[in-house]
Each structure stands twice: as C-alpha cells, then as structure tokens.
Amino acid sequence: MLIDTYGRVATDLRVSLTDRCNLRCTYCMPEEGLQWLAKPDLLTDDEIVRLVGIAVTRLGITEVRFTGGEPLLRPGLVSLVERCAALRPRPRISLTTNGIGLARTAPALAAAGLDRVNVSLDTLRPDVFQRLTRRKRHQDVLDGLAAAHAAGLTPVKINAVLMPGLNDDEAPGLLAWALDHGYELRFIEQMPLDAQHGWRRDGMITAADILTSLRTRFTLTPEDAGERGAAPAERWLVDGGPGRVGVIASVTRPFCGACDRTRLTADGQIRNCLFAREESDLRAALRSGATDEELAERWKQAMRGKKAGSGLDDPSFLQPQRPMSAIGG
C-alpha cells in the first residue's frame, strides 16, 4: 500500500511514456520545443510493464493512466496497454492525449484493453487552435474524439484550458458542443507547469470565472459531494442532467486532502505530487538489479515524503523545475 504520513492512500498511477509532443501549446512549451530526453534515459517497455506490475500487485494501484508529453508518439503503445491489461488484478487503464493520431489507433487501443480516454481540446475554432498550439491539427483532434467514442472508449472526457484573450469566451459553446456529442467536458485552470515559467496567478482564468461564464447559458447544480471522492474535478449537473461538466481548480480550489495519485515519469522517477520539486529514482535501482520487493519499498518511501498540499496557495511557491511535458499530467 502506498500511504503517506497524512493517511492518504495512492491507488491511481499516472505513467508518462514520453516527454515529446507534436503540439506546442502556449501554456506548456515554447514554439521551438524543448531538449527531449535521450532514448537511453527513457524506461523501456519491459521496464514500464514491470513497474506497473509492482504497483498493481504489491502496492494497491487500481487505476493506470498513460500520459506524456503525447503518449500516442510512444512506439509500442498498443502492446503496452495489452500487457498491462493482462495484469491480475486487472487495473482500469486510461489515456490522456491531444487526440492527434487517435482516429487511426482508437480501435486497436480498445481491443488491447484501454478503457477510456481524456482528450485535450481548448477551442472549437480552428484559427484559435492554431494560435494556441502553433499547429494546424484541429480537425485531427475532432476526428480522434469521434473515433474514440465509436470504439467504446467511454466516457470520452475533454480537457479544456481557457486562456485570456484567446478562448476565454468559449466556455458555454464548448459545453453545448460536448453535450451534443456525448462527451464529458472538464475545464482545467492553467497551472504553473509551463517550460517558460511564464505563468501568472493574476493572469489566469479561474474556476469562478468559468462557472460565471457557463451560468450565462446553463443552470448548474452541484453534484453530491459524496460522489466526487478523490476525483480532481468538481462536477455540476447541466440543466438538471444527465449531462455534467467538471472544473479542475488546482490553483484556486486545491483538493490535496483527497489526493490518491502517484506519478512515474518517462525516465523512471517517482513524483508524489504533480507540483513537487523532488523526485525519487526508480530507474537506477531497477537497472542495478533491484528486486521487485526492493523497488516496492523505494516507492513506498517516496510516497511517505508527500507533503500536505501542493503549496500553490503559498506566496513563496516555486514551480517544478521540469515542465508538464517531462513529468506527465
């Protein structure tokens, strides 16, 4: 069991498969991209499956989410999903992706055992998409969403970040469109995880801003608090339901007290918090011949050091040195 000193138990594992991405979102990385991790630094497929297996069979992990960078860029992704789905007890397996390439791979991923997907889509306007991502791939994302839905990777969830002066007027339209297509929309406050360290608290669109905008068009009823559990999103019924919308307010409404997540980076580091500035190296131990029991104990020790909160509400907060693309979402 992965339990910290505050009694929180981690059952949800986020696994970054690569730090590379085929978009250049303004809130994530510079237009020229980043210095990517060298291939020898990345965990191999066998190493990933072994560590996920330890987490599932020895440490109580029940949910595995593959992330990036962009996980669809990882060669062998379908095989990774299939091998992790074969673990017993079987974890629930999901994927966070920008959707580019999902139209081609969704059927194979579903057949391999993937349960569902989260797809990033911040705008319905192709010109705004290009300004936000610096790529002309808007239709590819829409096609990927449709393919995921058709393949049964449901509920298909959409993650949207609103940025001032770009798409901050789109919340009601995005929600209406998502409901029409049977997708579950979640707005995410912009977080201090950009490679440029350009995030400003006074320049972000907050959860309160988002809800005010949505209520110009919809009636929102808070979901029963007991249904949220450790989920990062607060959810509301839209116009009485059954449609829902979520808001992940990591900055203004932190939910650290219920956190059940642990993270494995693409280069084999354990992070006990998305905003942590410290990591614990499993890759070196793994490659030095550590046993499964020894690796599990190292993982437990890493989680015991988890802090009470992310520190985002502290004026002295410092961003993690590594950006989102390197540590996974």
Side-chain angles (χ1 to χ4, degrees):
M1 181 181 293
L2 292 173
I3 185 167
D4 65 34
T5 57
Y6 298 91
R8 295 168 297 193
V9 178
T11 57
D12 184 336
L13 169 61
R14 309 294 172 95
V15 182
S16 176
L17 299 180
T18 178
D19 60 329
R20 296 173 184 264
C21 189
N22 42 13
L23 297 180
R24 297 291 183 269
C25 296
T26 57
Y27 51 77
C28 186
M29 68 175 70
E31 187 169 5
E32 64 273 16
L34 299 169
Q35 182 67 47
W36 308 123
L37 291 167
K39 187 174 181 179
D41 293 335
L42 297 173
L43 293 176
T44 66
D45 290 1
D46 287 345
E47 288 170 338
I48 290 171
V49 173
R50 183 182 174 192
L51 291 176
V52 171
I54 291 170
V56 169
T57 61
R58 293 173 176 265
L59 298 174
I61 292 296
T62 59
E63 304 261 349
V64 176
R65 172 90 59 88
F66 290 121
T67 71
E70 174 43 54
L72 291 179
L73 295 178
R74 173 87 184 204
L77 172 61
V78 171
S79 176
L80 274 173
V81 170
E82 186 173 34
R83 293 171 69 183
C84 290
L87 294 169
R88 294 294 179 270
R90 185 199 189 282
R92 184 166 173 79
I93 304 173
S94 58
L95 181 78
T96 294
T97 171
N98 62 29
I100 296 174
L102 191 57
R104 181 180 68 256
T105 55
L109 287 168
L114 189 69
D115 293 301
R116 65 168 192 84
V117 293
N118 285 28
V119 179
S120 298
L121 179 66
D122 302 323
T123 177
L124 297 176
R125 304 193 296 250
D127 60 318
V128 176
F129 182 90
Q130 185 176 348
R131 291 174 63 193
L132 277 167
T133 68
R134 305 181 178 108
R135 297 291 187 272
K136 294 182 178 182
R137 306 299 297 270
H138 189 254
Q139 188 60 49
D140 292 330
V141 180
L142 300 184
D143 293 345
L145 282 162
H149 193 273
L153 297 174
T154 54
V156 175
K157 296 183 180 181
I158 294 176
N159 295 337
V161 177
L162 299 182
M163 298 293 289
L166 287 173
N167 61 339
D168 52 346
D169 60 338
E170 287 199 61
L174 273 166
L175 178 53
W177 179 84
L179 292 171
D180 286 345
H181 287 78
Y183 306 141
E184 184 174 323
L185 178 63
R186 292 120 52 90
F187 292 98
I188 303 177
E189 288 183 336
Q190 183 196 4
M191 294 181 285
L193 293 169
D194 60 304
Q196 311 92 303
H197 285 210
W199 177 86
R200 292 185 303 108
R201 188 182 303 271
D202 59 1
M204 59 175 283
I205 306 299
T206 67
D209 297 329
I210 294 165
L211 293 171
T212 296
S213 179
L214 292 175
R215 286 180 171 125
T216 64
R217 185 165 172 181
F218 303 99
T219 298
L220 302 182
T221 306
E223 191 175 60
D224 189 298
E227 294 187 36
R228 181 179 182 183
E234 291 182 78
R235 300 202 305 178
W236 286 262
L237 291 172
V238 181
D239 292 339
R244 289 174 169 80
V245 65
V247 178
I248 299 177
S250 301
V251 179
T252 64
R253 302 184 185 185
F255 40 86
C256 302
C259 182
D260 66 348
R261 286 168 289 287
T262 182
R263 290 177 161 81
L264 177 65
T265 68
D267 55 350
Q269 310 301 305
I270 291 297
R271 297 180 63 84
N272 57 33
C273 175
L274 183 59
F275 302 101
R277 292 177 62 83
E278 305 83 24
E279 297 177 335
S280 300
D281 189 358
L282 285 189
R283 184 190 63 195
L286 186 155
R287 293 181 179 178
S288 296
T291 65
D292 287 0
E293 183 177 355
E294 289 169 339
L295 291 169
E297 185 56 38
R298 282 176 176 265
W299 206 325
K300 290 178 183 178
Q301 290 175 4
M303 293 305 293
R304 291 188 193 111
K306 187 170 184 172
K307 297 178 181 178
S310 65
L312 277 170
D313 53 354
D314 188 327
S316 64
F317 172 80
L318 294 174
Q319 285 190 219
Q321 294 174 317
R322 298 218 282 174
M324 172 74 87
S325 59
I327 62 180

